[in-house]
Amino acid sequence: MGRQPFEAIWNGLSLAAWLVDASTLQILQANEAAARLVGRRAVDMEGMPILELAATPEDQIYWSQANTDIAAGIHSHSWVRNIRSGALVPVDRCVLAIHAPTVTDAVRCLLLTMQDRSEHEASRLELEALLSELRATLDSAADGVLTCNLHGQMRAFNQRLVHIWQVPHELLLRRDDAAIWAHMEDQVLDSEAYRVRRTAIAHEPMRESADILRLRNGMTVEQRSVPQFIRGRPAGRVYSFRDITQQSAVQADLRLAARVYESSLDAIFIADKHNAIVRINAACERLLGASVAGVIGQVAARLFAPTQNHCAFMSGVQQAWQQEGFWEGELRLRQGDDGQCSVHLSWVALRDDEGTVNQSIGFMRDLTQQQAAKQRIEELAYSDVLTGLPNGLLLAKKVAAAIDASRAIGDSFAILFLDLDRFKIVNDSLGHSFGDRVLKLVAERLQRCLRQSDMLCRSGGDEFVIHLHGADAGVAEAVARRMLDEMQYPFMLDGMEFSVQCSIGLSLFPQDGGSFEELIKQADTAMYQVKERGRGSYGFYQPQMNANLLSRMKMEHAMRQALGLGHVLVHYQPQVEIATGRIVGAEALARWTDPELGAVSPGTFIPLAEESGFIVTLGAWVMEQSIKEAAYWMSCGTPLVVSVNVSALEFRQAGFVERITALLGRYQLPAQQLELELTESVLLHDAQEMEQVLAALTSMGLKLAIDDFGTGYSSLAYLKKLAIHRLKIDRTFVSGLPDDEGDRAIVQAVVSMGRALGFSVVAEGVETQAQRLALHDMGCEYYQGYLCAPALPAAEFRARTAGPAADSKRVLQRASCLLPAAER
């Protein structure tokens, strides 16, 4: 046969077909049906990899198999894409191997065929939709319906049947026809007569029947039975059951319809063929806010306020009636003279025997509560539950909108980040419930400082963020000042008067950031700097702030690494008895020397450690090193009291007393050889709890000293309640001696107070003989400072304190004289 007849047959096939080279998987030839199916020209597909036709992951996997697996062939459902329409077309796919005529088992090429299943798939979906509609229709029927085959086996029933016969749910789950028939028989008063009647009906497939059944629950049911025909032959039977307890079937239907109509929670209107209203139920009358007389005769479409004119609206309704038999959607319903509300309308067309619409019924459901609930959900999603203020999500949307608007008009705005200072004290002392009420009061005050166009947001905890619409630096500063002034006034709650202070950071758009996140970050950074400077004020973001924060982060990281790398050491500064020059103890001081940063001042890294919480780890390490060193001094015959500073955070750690006890036991150091130096702030925080901890420490024999006495709180009531042994005069009061009258008065007062209360007194920072003599004249007992020696490494301190006390005193004093003035 020549090629032309083959081409005619090949292209005349209705089945899409491709010849594919078995080794290269490239298309050798495609027919016209294939071209139509995929939207490509047949000649364009020649030489194209077959993988380009793969439209699903399954196709990709199939054509990516080994050639032997592909040659095995496949027959399956799949999809192919038509590149002209872009649509995926369902197909029946078949791959067959075509063997070479001269080589056994050698596959020369593959034949790929595809049958378009679009019509079949559409028919299937249409059938499924039809079945679903039939099922819904069956379940919507007012009568109970049961269909059976010729053998009495149940094929379908609706929920109305279940209700009438009160079929238990567990019986339905069993799917036991005999049990259901038995249940129905048991519900009939004359069970035997019903069984006989049903048997007679089953033996006469063409018979129609109508029976009245009285059930044990008092219900009277009309049972109708008609044969079911499929293709003209009897295939089963359809039973319908109607409740006619009160009246005949027609009267029951009318009464039931009237009852449903009048008692329905949905508003219902009935219109004639001209769409004029002929009747409304009570719910519709209430919803409309008008009398029946004022509505009857009115065109139904004019009840609503559609976005389009009434003619266009009715045109859409009638088109929906023509296609589906009903129209539904949301509309605005006119109420009374001027009111409106949202309703969901389902408007159903009723047709006569000729298919003409002669009536229609509208069902309206009031959406007011539903929309209010939706609005409430949106409010909760975008508002703070506690204060009712907008939350961060809504603020972010507002700022994003402001940024978009600024691109068009070049407007600016400001972001304020406000944090309440030390608000944790309120929560800890008065409880979170009280704190929440305070936050509400704060929100009210801040809101009074803003315009209608601004937005105040609570971002969480005790933090607030403010968007100032169209504000420049001057406006932003004025608002920040106004807020600070407003917060100066005392708050009153539950008869208690108290103050709340805040710190505010400000950032400006566009110079400080181009996004909400950047502006919040910069304002937060500025607020942090305000807190660093002492709180209770405001500050604008400066680019250098981020650099400072980065520097702090690097230093904090270096500090945490330094302890493990041995860059932190404990030095010891002698404490000297003024009258005799005898060294009686030493204060343990942490010193950090970094390979890159050099010697880092304690005034720099100690506050950083306290702020970051690393002070707990650092303090625990210094404590252990100090106790270990003091134990060594004792073993060498030169017992000295070691003083160790304890931070507030470390002192409040659970198990602090137990850890001290364990360290003393591990290194065999008597408790009286350890002195803890505490600040006044430690003693006054949770004073009752601190009193118990201090009592436990002193009962062990430890000594307690108040460091930097006179620089903290003015209340001295704790001195007579707590077991204090020693007061330490801060170096700021010693530096002015002997000439500064103010410093002399303060030092004399502290010394006199200490002697009156039975405390010993130590002066810090003594650098000159004149200062030592002045302290001696005022009755101060001990001092420490560069006059004797700076803080020394442990080995150097050991060397200088070895031998008789007099020698140690002389060596240390001589060494202090050799110190450069700058170092001293």
Side-chain angles (χ1 to χ4, degrees), residues 109 331-332 477 495 733:
C109 59
L331 296 170
R332 297 292 296 175
E477 183 175 10
F733 303 132

PDB file of all heavy atoms in Angstrom, residues 109 331-332 477 495 733:
ATOM      1  N   CYS A 109       9.043   1.460  17.709  1.00  0.00           N
ATOM      2  CA  CYS A 109       8.386   2.715  18.068  1.00  0.00           C
ATOM      3  C   CYS A 109       7.185   2.411  18.943  1.00  0.00           C
ATOM      4  O   CYS A 109       6.815   1.252  19.154  1.00  0.00           O
ATOM      5  CB  CYS A 109       7.992   3.514  16.832  1.00  0.00           C
ATOM      6  SG  CYS A 109       6.858   2.633  15.725  1.00  0.00           S
ATOM      7  N   LEU A 331     -29.556  41.818  49.338  1.00  0.00           N
ATOM      8  CA  LEU A 331     -30.097  43.104  48.918  1.00  0.00           C
ATOM      9  C   LEU A 331     -30.297  43.999  50.130  1.00  0.00           C
ATOM     10  O   LEU A 331     -30.286  43.530  51.286  1.00  0.00           O
ATOM     11  CB  LEU A 331     -31.443  42.916  48.211  1.00  0.00           C
ATOM     12  CG  LEU A 331     -31.456  42.138  46.887  1.00  0.00           C
ATOM     13  CD1 LEU A 331     -32.887  41.842  46.487  1.00  0.00           C
ATOM     14  CD2 LEU A 331     -30.745  42.926  45.798  1.00  0.00           C
ATOM     15  N   ARG A 332     -30.506  45.275  49.866  1.00  0.00           N
ATOM     16  CA  ARG A 332     -30.868  46.228  50.913  1.00  0.00           C
ATOM     17  C   ARG A 332     -32.388  46.374  50.888  1.00  0.00           C
ATOM     18  O   ARG A 332     -32.973  46.779  49.888  1.00  0.00           O
ATOM     19  CB  ARG A 332     -30.203  47.583  50.686  1.00  0.00           C
ATOM     20  CG  ARG A 332     -28.694  47.552  50.731  1.00  0.00           C
ATOM     21  CD  ARG A 332     -28.174  47.265  52.119  1.00  0.00           C
ATOM     22  NE  ARG A 332     -28.531  48.330  53.056  1.00  0.00           N
ATOM     23  CZ  ARG A 332     -28.272  48.282  54.354  1.00  0.00           C
ATOM     24  NH1 ARG A 332     -27.677  47.205  54.866  1.00  0.00           N
ATOM     25  NH2 ARG A 332     -28.606  49.281  55.150  1.00  0.00           N
ATOM     26  N   GLU A 477       7.085  66.088  68.169  1.00  0.00           N
ATOM     27  CA  GLU A 477       7.673  66.487  69.453  1.00  0.00           C
ATOM     28  C   GLU A 477       6.601  67.090  70.358  1.00  0.00           C
ATOM     29  O   GLU A 477       6.569  66.811  71.571  1.00  0.00           O
ATOM     30  CB  GLU A 477       8.803  67.489  69.221  1.00  0.00           C
ATOM     31  CG  GLU A 477       9.507  67.903  70.512  1.00  0.00           C
ATOM     32  CD  GLU A 477      10.711  68.795  70.248  1.00  0.00           C
ATOM     33  OE1 GLU A 477      10.876  69.246  69.092  1.00  0.00           O
ATOM     34  OE2 GLU A 477      11.478  69.032  71.191  1.00  0.00           O
ATOM     35  N   GLY A 495      -9.267  54.049  95.264  1.00  0.00           N
ATOM     36  CA  GLY A 495      -8.875  54.890  96.384  1.00  0.00           C
ATOM     37  C   GLY A 495      -7.380  55.060  96.541  1.00  0.00           C
ATOM     38  O   GLY A 495      -6.914  55.671  97.511  1.00  0.00           O
ATOM     39  N   PHE A 733      31.774  60.523  98.179  1.00  0.00           N
ATOM     40  CA  PHE A 733      31.798  61.354  99.380  1.00  0.00           C
ATOM     41  C   PHE A 733      33.210  61.488  99.937  1.00  0.00           C
ATOM     42  O   PHE A 733      33.534  62.463 100.625  1.00  0.00           O
ATOM     43  CB  PHE A 733      30.880  60.761 100.456  1.00  0.00           C
ATOM     44  CG  PHE A 733      29.459  60.582  99.994  1.00  0.00           C
ATOM     45  CD1 PHE A 733      28.794  59.385 100.208  1.00  0.00           C
ATOM     46  CD2 PHE A 733      28.777  61.598  99.340  1.00  0.00           C
ATOM     47  CE1 PHE A 733      27.487  59.206  99.786  1.00  0.00           C
ATOM     48  CE2 PHE A 733      27.465  61.436  98.922  1.00  0.00           C
ATOM     49  CZ  PHE A 733      26.826  60.234  99.140  1.00  0.00           C
TER      50      PHE A 733
END
